[in-house]
Amino acid sequence: RKEVEQDPGPFNVPEGATVAFNCTYSNSASQSFFWYRQDCRKEPKLLMSVYSSGNEDGRFTAQLNRASQYISLLIRDSKLSDSATYLCVVNRGYSTLTFGKGTMLLVSP
Amino acid sequence: EAGVAQSPRYKIIEKRQSVAFWCNPISGHATLYWYQQILGQGPKLLIQFQNNGVVDDSQLPKDRFSAERLKGVDSTLKIQPAKLEDSAVYLCASSLVAGSVGEQFFGPGTRLTVL
């Protein structure tokens, strides 16, 4: 089983739609979880951290299910500018991170 | 605040040649990372420095890749000799906090093509 698995997509959605991405991780000892966003031919940037209680940042909601080793990202009211690849990231070891392959989102007018 | 700087931005070489990449992290950031990102994949950690010491180089192909971070600031990553499968974007990242997981700030990357 891969350390971090994501559906590569692409997810094609119209503007205003709600879309959800899932991610599973294999290391039950992982403690830190993140979603990074990567625009085409650009560097990754932190979108949000994922906390055990779930957290929300505007239109974005992240959830963590430790029992199932599963992380999710929900985007409401999608904008054209949300088109990007969303990378699920989990810590491996004390201070290192493992990145998933990413899920591509394409938002159309 | 200046971001992570990398050079060159693009490099094309032939297989068996050598190449070096340079990274200047954000001022004051203790931890520096080099990642390899192959097209369609997520970034894969090659090496992690904390100040000028190596924290993790378990995924660095040491027969051909080397990296150093002199004086705990700038870093260079070298490939010698390059293979076709080394074609990728090499990303440098830095984080402020030493010894724990914090936000990583990435540079624009160096896009390497090996012919």
Side-chain angles (χ1 to χ4, degrees), chain B residues 2 5 15 20 32 35 43 48 55 59 69-70 79 82 87 89-90 95 99 114:
Chain B
K15 59 183 179 183
L32 185 148
Y35 289 90
Q48 176 183 344
V55 173
Q59 299 186 96
R69 189 184 186 196
L70 299 176
I79 307 175
S87 293
V89 177
Y90 290 84
S95 65
V114 182

Side-chain angles (χ1 to χ4, degrees), chain B residues 60-74:
Chain B
L60 185 74
K62 298 179 184 64
D63 58 333
R64 298 184 301 107
F65 286 65
S66 64
E68 60 182 7
R69 189 184 186 196
L70 299 176
K71 301 180 182 177
V73 182
D74 293 9

Side-chain angles (χ1 to χ4, degrees), chain A residues 36 38 43 92 94-96, chain B residues 37 41-42 48 59 99 104 107:
Chain A
Y36 276 68
Q38 186 170 27
E43 70 272 21
R92 172 176 62 85
Y94 192 46
S95 61
T96 58
Chain B
Q37 187 171 25
Q41 307 282 323
Q48 176 183 344
Q59 299 186 96
Q104 294 187 16

